Amino acid sequence: MKRIFSFLALTVLGVASLGAKEYRERLDTTQIYDVGVVEVVTTAASRTAPVAYNDIDKESIISKSYALDLPSVLALTPSMIATNETGIGIGATSIRLRGTDATRINVTVNGVAMNNPDSHSVYWYDTPDLISSVGSIQVQRGAGVSTNGAGAFGGAVSMTTDALTTEFRGGASLSYGSYNTNKQAVHLTSGLMRDHWVVDARLSHIGSDGYIERGATDLKSYMAQVGYYADNTRIKLLSFGGSAKTYLTYNGVSREDMALYGRRYHTSGQYTTSDGPYTLADGTHVDYHDDETDNYLQINNHLVVNHRFNRLWQLNATLFYTYGYGYYNQYKDDAWLEGYTNLKGVSSEQADLIRHKLMRNHLGGANMAASYNTSRLNLTFGGSWSYYTCPHWGTVSWVDGMDSGDVAGRWYDNDVTKQDANIFVRAEWRVLSDDKGNNIHLFGDMQYRYVHYKAWGVNDNSIWGDDGVYMQPIDVDKQYHFLNPHVGLSYKRGGHNLFVSAAIANREPTRSDFTDRYMFAADDSYPESERLYDFELGYNYTSPRLSVGVNLYYMLYHNQLVATGMVNDGDDALNVNVDRSYRRGVELMASWRTTKWLTLSANATLSQNVIEEYVDELKDSPTFGQNLGDMTISYSPSVVGSLSADFHVAGFSLLWHTQYVGKQYFTNNEIEALSLDAYTVTNLDLGYRIAIGNGGSVRFGLAINNLFSTLYESNGYGYSYMWDGERYDEAFYFPQAPINFLGNITVNF
């Protein structure tokens, strides 16, 4: 693979140089080429691409950046749902798009994949306050265009960091609200120095007690970037990231416990003790481990180079390196000790203990692409290569009744490496453009992707066999070769735009798909890679005051990995392959600018998400081995919709957003006891901006979340099992806060 990419780099440079020589065009040094932006040409869809997408404007990003995580902004787009464990949109947040979870949504910043190569998830609190550093966001639904990292099965989120300004600027922001939610941020940019250089930096802190008891979040973040701009070369070196400390809240709460102890109750870190300072509603005395936390440090580094050879050719290259180190601490009440192989002199079967799970990862690589643009042809080709390594291990610091010297060492230890590489070519060709305004574009995109995933050692799962308890061995060595083609056609005349497309996408399993399969599978087989056949037909009409759109999609899957409702010890979903399944639906969008100060918008997704002839293969399930017929795919609502009103007059702004999310099942056999009720939630953002001298401003903002105090849960998990001939359904939920407030003042100069 290294030879392939060395050849690719030489080819890109060589062809571009030939283009420069052939056309012999020099850049006009008097022309301004958007000094503030270092363009990434690979991951965003163009206006004529046959892709269902939405761009999120800067004002929407700013209105949500006072303390909330990025999923709160992404949920403004069609078919998107945001979930949260702490109940207030900060901390452990995630997204689903068209019913698919975050592991199937490719997220990039400056073309660099943000999905963890092991789990495929994006842990938003690992890059705290990223929302404040983002300048543009595009959400693609379906297979999308060629991108980097794990394949996009629900869609893709393409982001770029904010443009650097040529003027000296700065700002500070303070936020405070319900549940002690707070944010402090400062930002400073140098402006253009010596006609070429710009330096920019941001520091921020976000904290909250959370709606869920002990659901505290403490996030510290930074971004620093240096930009160099010449007539035809733009370079940006940036580093961003920070540290996160969050209380463990991933275990959810049952409806029975909510009724008994309240909606804010959860059990993480709780242990029973006769002299505990806290008394539950049933009279049980308990206490809580004061360091039941997840701790993580992540540093992302990008070197982005953009060079224009002439008006036709452009080259974009990015080097990246991400470092991560994290651990979480857990108090285990009455833990079974046989699974902790590092303990010496064990005299009892069970005891309270404090354990730690740790990981350290390194991800490095390069993306490269060249683009050739004429009035009729846009051609982009390039590729990427990355290498990931991550050891996982666990230690125990205390066991009740044992000396510290008898608990030393590691109770599990394993390693992971992953090599991920791709090459692609994408072309958009305007085959017709006449004097009547008819424009027809053909689109073609082909990506070859290579993945080599290895995991070995001993995992943290205790296996109870006939010969006793042993730790689960890991031995995974899999290579994948994927071809991902995408073809389409778009027709545009005036404000009318019609497109049709077909694409194939492939995706490899996640770490937990491999390592935790034993928890539910009846055999020792490995999970299969997934394949998606995505067909899209869309129409949009845009005028100065009205825009409407309709998009029909049919997503046909082979071996789709669907959630079983079960989760592992780290809250990763346990998935099972199903032979044939599909998602089909219609997405409706409308926006009407009624006056210059009021815009009304709405979107709705009506869908069917079906497994054809579902055979229950969960070994402990009450319906194990039965063919249940057609079943709804888990976590896939058939209706998602929203209404919004955007009011602006003078310096005052108001944004009203109401979202409806239909019923969701946790499992794939449509059990009512294992489902998430439909909900409707309304948020209101108010702002008032005062202009001050030299382009500065002061903005006062107030976010009112869950305006009508809807009692709802945004997420949950559950499963069924048999015990002594009886069937049990276990379901756990993540309740969201009633009406809550967040005030903000931001000063820019």
Side-chain angles (χ1 to χ4, degrees):
M1 293 306 298
K2 292 181 180 179
R3 294 178 181 176
I4 292 176
F5 285 93
S6 296
F7 174 75
L8 172 68
L10 292 174
T11 301
V12 170
L13 291 172
V15 174
S17 297
L18 288 174
K21 181 178 180 180
E22 179 179 353
Y23 292 96
R24 297 186 182 279
E25 293 182 353
R26 297 175 60 90
L27 285 176
D28 182 355
T29 56
T30 64
Q31 183 174 348
I32 299 175
Y33 286 95
D34 193 3
V35 172
V37 177
V38 174
E39 185 178 359
V40 177
V41 297
T42 55
T43 57
S46 69
R47 289 181 297 174
T48 57
V51 174
Y53 74 90
N54 283 82
D55 293 318
I56 302 178
D57 61 78
K58 185 64 176 178
E59 185 64 28
S60 297
I61 298 173
I62 292 174
S63 70
K64 296 292 185 180
S65 65
Y66 302 145
L68 300 182
D69 291 336
L70 257 168
S72 63
V73 177
L74 302 178
L76 298 174
T77 63
S79 303
M80 183 76 80
I81 299 171
T83 68
N84 178 242
E85 291 179 7
T86 67
I88 56 169
I90 302 171
T93 54
S94 192
I95 52 176
R96 292 195 183 98
L97 181 58
R98 289 185 178 175
T100 59
D101 66 25
T103 66
R104 292 158 176 80
I105 302 171
N106 187 282
V107 179
T108 58
V109 174
N110 296 332
V112 178
M114 298 297 291
N115 303 70
N116 180 276
D118 222 359
S119 69
H120 298 192
S121 294
V122 176
Y123 302 99
W124 298 101
Y125 58 80
D126 287 347
T127 51
D129 201 25
L130 178 61
I131 188 173
S132 295
S133 300
V134 169
S136 67
I137 302 176
Q138 184 182 92
V139 178
Q140 302 170 21
R141 301 185 296 280
V145 300
S146 286
T147 187
N148 305 312
F153 260 57
V157 178
S158 175
M159 298 180 284
T160 60
T161 49
D162 207 358
L164 296 174
T165 178
T166 59
E167 298 180 350
F168 174 75
R169 286 284 183 257
S173 179
L174 296 174
S175 301
Y176 189 80
S178 305
Y179 311 108
N180 196 31
T181 301
N182 62 92
K183 176 181 176 180
Q184 308 84 41
V186 294
H187 173 242
L188 193 66
T189 185
S190 67
L192 194 62
M193 301 183 299
R194 297 182 179 273
D195 297 327
H196 292 292
W197 297 91
V198 179
V199 178
D200 181 84
R202 173 185 58 81
L203 293 173
S204 67
H205 167 262
I206 298 174
S208 178
D209 294 339
Y211 171 67
I212 299 301
E213 292 176 355
R214 305 176 310 283
T217 301
D218 185 18
L219 310 176
K220 301 178 179 65
S221 72
Y222 78 97
M223 169 170 275
Q225 48 186 338
V226 178
Y228 172 82
Y229 301 96
D231 293 332
N232 55 2
T233 301
R234 292 168 286 183
I235 301 173
K236 182 187 283 189
L237 174 64
L238 67 152
S239 180
F240 63 95
S243 64
K245 184 171 187 176
T246 61
Y247 200 92
L248 297 181
T249 55
Y250 60 68
N251 53 345
V253 59
S254 67
R255 295 211 184 278
E256 294 78 11
D257 281 351
M258 277 194 279
L260 186 60
Y261 306 124
R263 291 174 55 81
R264 303 182 67 181
Y265 174 78
H266 78 114
T267 59
S268 186
Q270 176 181 294
Y271 58 95
T272 303
T273 175
S274 59
D275 58 351
Y278 304 98
T279 305
L280 301 181
D282 59 3
T284 304
H285 286 265
V286 299
D287 201 355
Y288 297 94
H289 181 220
D290 60 4
D291 196 19
E292 188 86 354
T293 57
D294 184 2
N295 303 265
Y296 202 80
L297 169 69
Q298 182 165 304
I299 300 174
N300 306 272
N301 304 286
H302 299 171
L303 175 61
V304 186
V305 179
N306 185 266
H307 180 74
R308 284 184 179 272
F309 293 93
N310 51 51
R311 296 184 186 277
L312 303 179
W313 284 97
Q314 180 176 335
L315 176 68
N316 181 193
T318 303
L319 298 177
F320 58 90
Y321 168 70
T322 299
Y323 170 79
Y325 170 73
Y327 62 93
Y328 63 81
N329 308 314
Q330 280 186 305
Y331 191 105
K332 302 294 287 185
D333 193 13
D334 278 340
W336 292 93
L337 300 183
E338 282 191 272
Y340 295 89
T341 56
N342 62 312
L343 303 183
K344 303 178 180 67
V346 176
S347 58
S348 60
E349 290 185 342
Q350 292 177 267
D352 293 358
L353 58 82
I354 298 174
R355 69 181 191 179
H356 316 277
K357 291 186 174 182
L358 306 94
M359 62 183 294
R360 177 179 284 109
N361 57 64
H362 304 270
L363 172 66
N367 303 333
M368 183 176 291
S371 64
Y372 171 81
N373 298 309
T374 69
S375 60
R376 300 183 66 89
L377 176 65
N378 295 330
L379 176 67
T380 305
F381 57 97
S384 72
W385 174 86
S386 68
Y387 186 80
Y388 173 83
T389 178
C390 182
H392 301 253
W393 71 96
T395 63
V396 177
S397 61
W398 173 80
V399 179
D400 190 19
M402 296 185 64
D403 295 333
S404 58
D406 294 330
V407 299
R410 299 181 175 184
W411 55 283
Y412 73 92
D413 194 348
N414 60 80
D415 283 274
V416 170
T417 62
K418 184 175 184 179
Q419 185 176 191
D420 193 329
N422 73 75
I423 53 177
F424 75 94
V425 59
R426 181 166 70 245
E428 295 181 58
W429 178 33
R430 188 170 66 177
V431 296
L432 174 66
S433 179
D434 60 25
D435 55 8
K436 296 181 180 180
N438 296 299
N439 288 275
I440 297 178
H441 289 79
L442 291 179
F443 175 92
D445 189 356
M446 173 64 78
Q447 182 200 59
Y448 163 73
R449 182 164 174 253
Y450 167 80
V451 177
H452 186 191
Y453 180 79
K454 294 180 66 176
W456 67 96
V458 177
N459 204 19
D460 58 340
N461 297 316
S462 301
I463 309 297
W464 297 74
D466 296 335
D467 299 328
V469 181
Y470 62 95
M471 300 305 294
Q472 178 198 17
I474 302 176
D475 185 15
V476 181
D477 189 350
K478 298 286 288 184
Q479 296 187 50
Y480 301 92
H481 300 270
F482 297 137
L483 281 177
N484 300 317
H486 189 172
V487 295
L489 178 148
S490 66
Y491 169 77
K492 182 175 177 61
R493 180 173 182 175
H496 301 273
N497 185 52
L498 177 71
F499 74 85
V500 60
S501 71
I504 299 175
N506 296 271
R507 177 183 169 277
E508 73 280 10
T510 68
R511 171 188 172 86
S512 60
D513 291 333
F514 284 111
T515 62
D516 297 321
R517 188 176 175 83
Y518 81 97
M519 297 174 67
F520 62 85
D523 56 30
D524 295 326
S525 62
Y526 275 154
E528 300 288 337
S529 61
E530 305 171 275
R531 175 166 292 179
L532 164 66
Y533 302 88
D534 181 28
F535 304 94
E536 309 267 343
L537 173 63
Y539 167 77
N540 299 284
Y541 170 75
T542 303
S543 70
R545 297 184 62 176
L546 177 68
S547 65
V548 295
V550 57
N551 188 63
L552 303 176
Y553 65 89
Y554 181 67
M555 304 170 74
L556 178 65
Y557 296 88
H558 177 58
N559 282 331
Q560 182 180 186
L561 281 160
V562 297
T564 64
M566 303 170 66
V567 296
N568 66 9
D569 205 26
D571 195 36
D572 296 314
L574 303 185
N575 304 311
V576 62
N577 287 112
V578 294
D579 184 27
R580 298 190 311 276
S581 58
Y582 64 82
R583 303 179 188 274
R584 62 188 180 193
V586 55
E587 295 166 327
L588 306 170
M589 296 146 283
S591 180
W592 177 33
R593 188 182 180 190
T594 62
T595 68
K596 65 179 181 180
W597 41 264
L598 177 62
T599 300
L600 302 177
S601 303
N603 66 71
T605 300
L606 310 176
S607 65
Q608 293 177 314
N609 308 275
V610 177
I611 301 172
E612 302 179 83
E613 296 187 7
Y614 176 59
V615 178
D616 190 349
E617 297 181 351
L618 310 185
K619 62 183 178 183
D620 295 324
S621 171
T623 56
F624 171 68
Q626 298 181 26
N627 188 335
L628 303 179
D630 289 357
M631 286 284 140
T632 300
I633 301 174
S634 56
Y635 298 98
S636 300
S638 59
V639 180
V640 176
S642 69
L643 297 170
S644 64
D646 189 351
F647 176 87
H648 284 78
V649 60
F652 178 76
S653 64
L654 178 152
L655 177 62
W656 173 292
H657 182 254
T658 297
Q659 184 179 47
Y660 172 83
V661 178
K663 182 178 182 178
Q664 303 171 62
Y665 292 104
F666 296 152
T667 64
N668 300 296
N669 40 16
E670 299 182 6
I671 299 173
E672 293 298 318
L674 303 176
S675 64
L676 192 67
D677 293 338
Y679 63 87
T680 302
V681 62
T682 296
N683 299 320
L684 181 64
D685 289 310
L686 304 172
Y688 185 71
R689 187 187 305 273
I690 302 172
I692 57 178
N694 297 321
S697 65
V698 178
R699 187 185 191 277
F700 301 91
L702 176 64
I704 307 174
N705 301 308
N706 197 0
L707 181 64
F708 301 113
S709 282
T710 302
L711 298 181
Y712 75 103
E713 297 85 37
S714 67
N715 201 10
Y717 59 96
Y719 49 89
S720 300
Y721 63 94
M722 299 294 292
W723 184 262
D724 288 339
E726 297 288 334
R727 173 188 176 133
Y728 294 88
D729 296 321
E730 299 280 356
F732 303 90
Y733 301 87
F734 296 98
Q736 301 300 290
I739 186 171
N740 59 95
F741 305 88
L742 184 64
N744 169 266
I745 179 171
T746 299
V747 179
N748 291 309
F749 58 86

